[in-house]
Amino acid sequence: MTFPKLFLPVSIVAGIMTITACSHIFSTESSLPAAHPEAVGEGRVACSECHEDQIKGVLKPYATFNHSQLFVKEHRFYAGSNDKLCASCHATSFCNDCHANELEIKPSIKLGDRPDRELIHRGDYMTRHKIDGKIDPTSCFRCHGRANNEQCIVCHK
Amino acid sequence: MSSLAARIALFLLSLPALAGAADLGVNGTTLVSFEQRSTPGFERQRVIPATQFLGIDADHLGNPNLSLHLYGWGRVDLADRSTDEKYTDGDLTYGYLRYLFPTANGEVKAGRFFVFDGVSAEHVDGVSARADLARGFALSMYGGAPVRLDRADDNKGDVIIGGRVSYRIPSLFELGFSALHEKGVTNGQTTDLKDHRQLVGGDLWLRPHKTTEFSGRISYNTATDGVAEQSYLLTVRPSAPLSVAGEYSRYRIKDYFAATNIRSLFNPDTGDNVQYYGGSVTYVIAKPAEVTVSYRHYNRDITGNSDRFGGEGRLTLLDNKCRAGLSYFRTEAPTGINSYHEIRGYLLHTAAKYTASVDTIAHLYDDKIFGKNTAFEVQGSAGYRLRPNLKLSGDLSYGQNPQFNDELKGLVRLTFNYDFIKGAGK
């Protein structure tokens, strides 16, 4: 048999094998919803106020993701392995208010009508960045080390 | 500007696809700000940048699981230049097609998007896919070209691939392993870096008891042969209103900063190390009142020991319509010029139609900086909801600081968020 003649039966067998394998390989659990079914109010939410038990698809308790002061400050630990869950309530643009490749406006200015939000660089950060950068330059690097630093380059050539 | 034109062209090309969407969401923020800067020895500056942020989300593109997501911004300076660059600028922050599978949290993306996954915190033009596998495993992968900056982009390579695999035991344990490889990176003048960037790392989440959670992450830079970062966080909630947290992080600058595009600032060749540890205690006195005290000790090889400590209180009243906060923090560095007190207070009130807020922040420096040892800013904001999805607001702030004798800033903001659903209202 030549290759063209073999192609069809081999494709059918390969397709059946792939579908069979995938049905065993992939989880059969329903996916997380693309968006939270109900509008979530302004301010910090506590997931466990409405939900009990664990989040399907993430396999962690809802209480883990309560937006406490600690959660907001240390959210990198959670976002780095659960960004799919974050996306259930937050559009990517929510993250991009602070985390972006190129952004000229300080988050505290863009969101100046939300003083309750935990936003960095409030007030005169031009003076303070020299101090904070000396004490812990890694805190600068996370956002400005490889990206979003076109204004840094003006002085730091 | 040609780059901006290309981004606008890409947006226009996507419009036919948007027309076929069953659900279309358009949101954005228009900002026109006014700033008058008075610097000793320099001419007074007046800058009026007008910036438009625009996001479009189109769902059900011929298939209930297929969607398109676009977001970007553009700015025009109406007076003096607001940045060191051009009078106009803009960026396509993201623009991708997404297919969500009904099971297994399966997702495929194609276009420009961000990846926050294990060791990866990347901006990529390419494709990504993820899925939960059977028996607690999950797999995610991406590949494409790193999105470059307009200036100083020699730290970005030509191709990047990465991924993460994890294993989970429900409500008890998650262990992840992730890696990325970026080819064609030019790292500038240095002796021990290669022409690529490569990180491997692990992350762990552990919940040995319902009151206790532990998170940790570590990354190893194989291009420089060293542990770039290790960070750990332990959280204990002995009772509902009380949570106690402890943290430890350590960074090797040579390995963590290796792929920077500002080597003169983030100098990775010093052999420097930074580590910090600390803790915080949060107590919810009653549901509307929360108090947090925290302490962090920093140690950096070339600057010595520093501490930051303080506390903050938050109040949420009138069914979340009134929010207030007060905080004090002290940064204690080896030298007075790097030590300061920070005091902040804010009050926000939101009603069906109106919002109003006032926010004040002050810094008291131990030693004078440019002849001053205080800085403060007072900002007031007021907003009116013209329609349920359209809000007009304005901010006005005044401050004095070591940079400026007087700093007066004003801003007008229009925020909109519209959803159009085909067939709605029939």
Side-chain angles (χ1 to χ4, degrees), chain B residues 372-390:
Chain B
K372 292 181 185 171
N373 57 6
T374 60
F376 75 88
E377 185 179 278
V378 181
Q379 177 169 300
S381 178
Y384 179 71
R385 202 168 284 283
L386 301 163
R387 291 176 176 275
N389 299 327
L390 185 67

Side-chain angles (χ1 to χ4, degrees), chain B residues 387-422:
Chain B
R387 291 176 176 275
N389 299 327
L390 185 67
K391 183 184 165 191
L392 181 67
S393 59
D395 305 343
L396 191 64
S397 73
Y398 174 76
Q400 293 180 358
N401 55 62
Q403 309 295 323
F404 302 114
N405 287 340
D406 297 293
E407 193 174 26
L408 178 67
K409 292 184 284 190
L411 181 145
V412 177
R413 177 189 302 106
L414 188 69
T415 312
F416 54 90
N417 188 350
Y418 284 97
D419 289 312
F420 307 96
I421 300 172
K422 271 187 185 170

Side-chain angles (χ1 to χ4, degrees), chain B residues 182-198:
Chain B
E182 188 174 346
K183 195 176 175 187
V185 177
T186 309
N187 279 302
Q189 295 293 321
T190 186
T191 53
D192 56 357
L193 290 175
K194 298 161 184 150
D195 65 347
H196 66 269
R197 173 175 162 251
Q198 186 165 284

Side-chain angles (χ1 to χ4, degrees), chain B residues 13-294:
Chain B
L13 283 171
S14 68
L15 289 179
L18 300 179
D23 299 347
L24 186 65
V26 180
N27 65 83
T29 303
T30 309
L31 298 174
V32 180
S33 57
F34 171 87
E35 189 173 345
Q36 194 157 279
R37 297 169 179 165
S38 167
T39 311
F42 290 88
E43 275 190 27
R44 189 176 286 252
Q45 267 189 313
R46 185 186 296 171
V47 292
I48 310 175
T51 308
Q52 177 66 56
F53 293 87
L54 182 65
I56 297 174
D57 299 286
D59 295 327
H60 298 192
L61 290 173
N63 181 302
N65 301 318
L66 185 64
S67 58
L68 176 71
H69 306 271
L70 298 165
Y71 186 75
W73 60 269
R75 184 256 304 154
V76 177
D77 281 330
L78 305 176
D80 292 333
R81 280 189 310 182
S82 61
T83 71
D84 192 51
E85 284 195 87
K86 302 157 281 189
Y87 280 86
T88 60
D89 204 354
D91 189 44
L92 175 67
T93 310
Y94 60 78
Y96 59 85
L97 275 168
R98 180 177 74 176
Y99 188 87
L100 290 176
F101 292 83
T103 58
N105 282 317
E107 178 187 76
V108 176
K109 284 184 191 171
R112 172 172 293 188
F113 51 84
F114 284 86
V115 180
F116 297 107
D117 203 17
V119 295
S120 299
E122 310 297 323
H123 197 198
V124 178
D125 286 331
V127 293
S128 76
R130 76 162 315 281
D132 293 342
L133 308 179
R135 296 185 177 82
F137 288 94
L139 180 67
S140 59
M141 293 178 287
Y142 67 91
V147 178
R148 291 174 174 266
L149 298 167
D150 291 346
R151 302 165 72 185
D153 68 348
D154 58 355
N155 67 317
K156 296 288 183 91
D158 304 317
V159 178
I160 186 167
I161 56 168
R164 177 175 178 268
V165 61
S166 64
Y167 175 69
R168 298 173 292 190
I169 298 174
S171 291
L172 177 66
F173 171 86
E174 178 173 357
L175 179 66
F177 174 78
S178 54
L180 74 81
H181 179 87
E182 188 174 346
K183 195 176 175 187
V185 177
T186 309
N187 279 302
Q189 295 293 321
T190 186
T191 53
D192 56 357
L193 290 175
K194 298 161 184 150
D195 65 347
H196 66 269
R197 173 175 162 251
Q198 186 165 284
L199 293 172
V200 295
D203 56 85
L204 172 69
W205 176 83
L206 188 63
R207 185 171 171 262
H209 186 263
K210 65 180 182 181
T211 61
T212 308
E213 287 185 22
F214 175 80
S215 299
R217 46 189 285 166
I218 185 165
S219 66
Y220 187 88
N221 189 334
T222 63
T224 55
D225 289 328
V227 176
E229 176 195 4
Q230 45 183 316
S231 297
Y232 309 100
L233 175 69
L234 177 68
T235 310
V236 182
R237 298 183 187 91
S239 63
L242 180 66
S243 61
V244 182
E247 59 170 347
Y248 174 78
S249 293
R250 180 177 174 82
Y251 300 85
R252 270 170 54 116
I253 299 294
K254 170 176 163 285
D255 307 300
Y256 193 65
F257 288 1
T260 183
N261 61 334
I262 317 181
R263 299 189 70 81
S264 63
L265 176 62
F266 296 105
N267 189 348
D269 303 317
T270 58
D272 197 7
N273 294 295
V274 176
Q275 62 177 336
Y276 59 78
Y277 57 83
S280 68
V281 178
T282 298
Y283 190 75
V284 180
I285 299 166
K287 198 182 172 188
E290 179 184 284
V291 175
T292 301
V293 292
S294 62

Side-chain angles (χ1 to χ4, degrees), chain B residues 240-389:
Chain B
L242 180 66
S243 61
V244 182
E247 59 170 347
Y248 174 78
S249 293
R250 180 177 174 82
Y251 300 85
R252 270 170 54 116
I253 299 294
K254 170 176 163 285
D255 307 300
Y256 193 65
F257 288 1
T260 183
N261 61 334
I262 317 181
R263 299 189 70 81
S264 63
L265 176 62
F266 296 105
N267 189 348
D269 303 317
T270 58
D272 197 7
N273 294 295
V274 176
Q275 62 177 336
Y276 59 78
Y277 57 83
S280 68
V281 178
T282 298
Y283 190 75
V284 180
I285 299 166
K287 198 182 172 188
E290 179 184 284
V291 175
T292 301
V293 292
S294 62
Y295 168 79
R296 185 182 275 183
H297 176 80
Y298 298 89
N299 175 267
R300 185 179 177 192
D301 289 353
I302 62 172
T303 54
N305 296 310
S306 306
D307 297 286
R308 182 171 165 84
F309 52 89
E312 54 191 304
R314 300 171 69 93
L315 270 175
T316 307
L317 301 166
L318 303 174
D319 196 21
N320 203 32
K321 286 178 184 150
C322 186
R323 281 161 261 167
L326 188 65
S327 65
Y328 165 79
F329 283 94
R330 165 73 178 166
T331 297
E332 185 91 39
T335 58
I337 200 164
N338 291 328
S339 300
Y340 63 89
H341 303 270
E342 178 182 292
I343 304 155
R344 179 170 177 250
Y346 68 84
L347 178 65
L348 166 70
H349 185 264
T350 62
K353 285 270 186 185
Y354 299 92
T355 62
S357 68
V358 62
D359 187 4
T360 64
I361 189 166
H363 294 91
L364 312 173
Y365 299 101
D366 287 17
D367 290 353
K368 286 186 176 177
I369 300 173
F370 300 144
K372 292 181 185 171
N373 57 6
T374 60
F376 75 88
E377 185 179 278
V378 181
Q379 177 169 300
S381 178
Y384 179 71
R385 202 168 284 283
L386 301 163
R387 291 176 176 275
N389 299 327

Side-chain angles (χ1 to χ4, degrees), chain A residues 66-155:
Chain A
N66 284 346
H67 286 25
S68 63
Q69 182 71 357
L70 179 70
F71 179 90
V72 174
K73 282 191 188 291
E74 303 286 359
H75 67 272
R76 67 191 180 109
F77 282 102
Y78 305 94
S81 53
N82 303 283
D83 67 329
K84 190 83 178 63
L85 177 66
C86 304
S88 289
C89 294
H90 298 292
T92 310
S93 56
F94 176 88
C95 311
N96 298 136
D97 283 338
C98 298
H99 305 284
N101 202 41
E102 192 176 339
L103 187 66
E104 294 174 341
I105 296 179
K106 279 201 302 183
S108 58
I109 291 177
K110 187 186 177 197
L111 301 163
D113 56 346
R114 290 294 307 277
D116 59 321
R117 291 271 303 269
E118 188 77 32
L119 302 172
I120 55 170
H121 304 347
R122 288 190 185 277
D124 165 37
Y125 199 69
M126 187 60 79
T127 302
R128 259 166 25 251
H129 86 280
K130 303 167 193 170
I131 299 172
D132 292 353
K134 281 193 184 82
I135 291 172
D136 177 21
T138 64
S139 65
C140 309
F141 187 86
R142 282 188 209 121
C143 295
H144 303 295
R146 303 187 67 239
N148 201 18
N149 54 25
E150 300 196 340
Q151 292 189 62
C152 309
I153 291 167
V154 174
C155 299

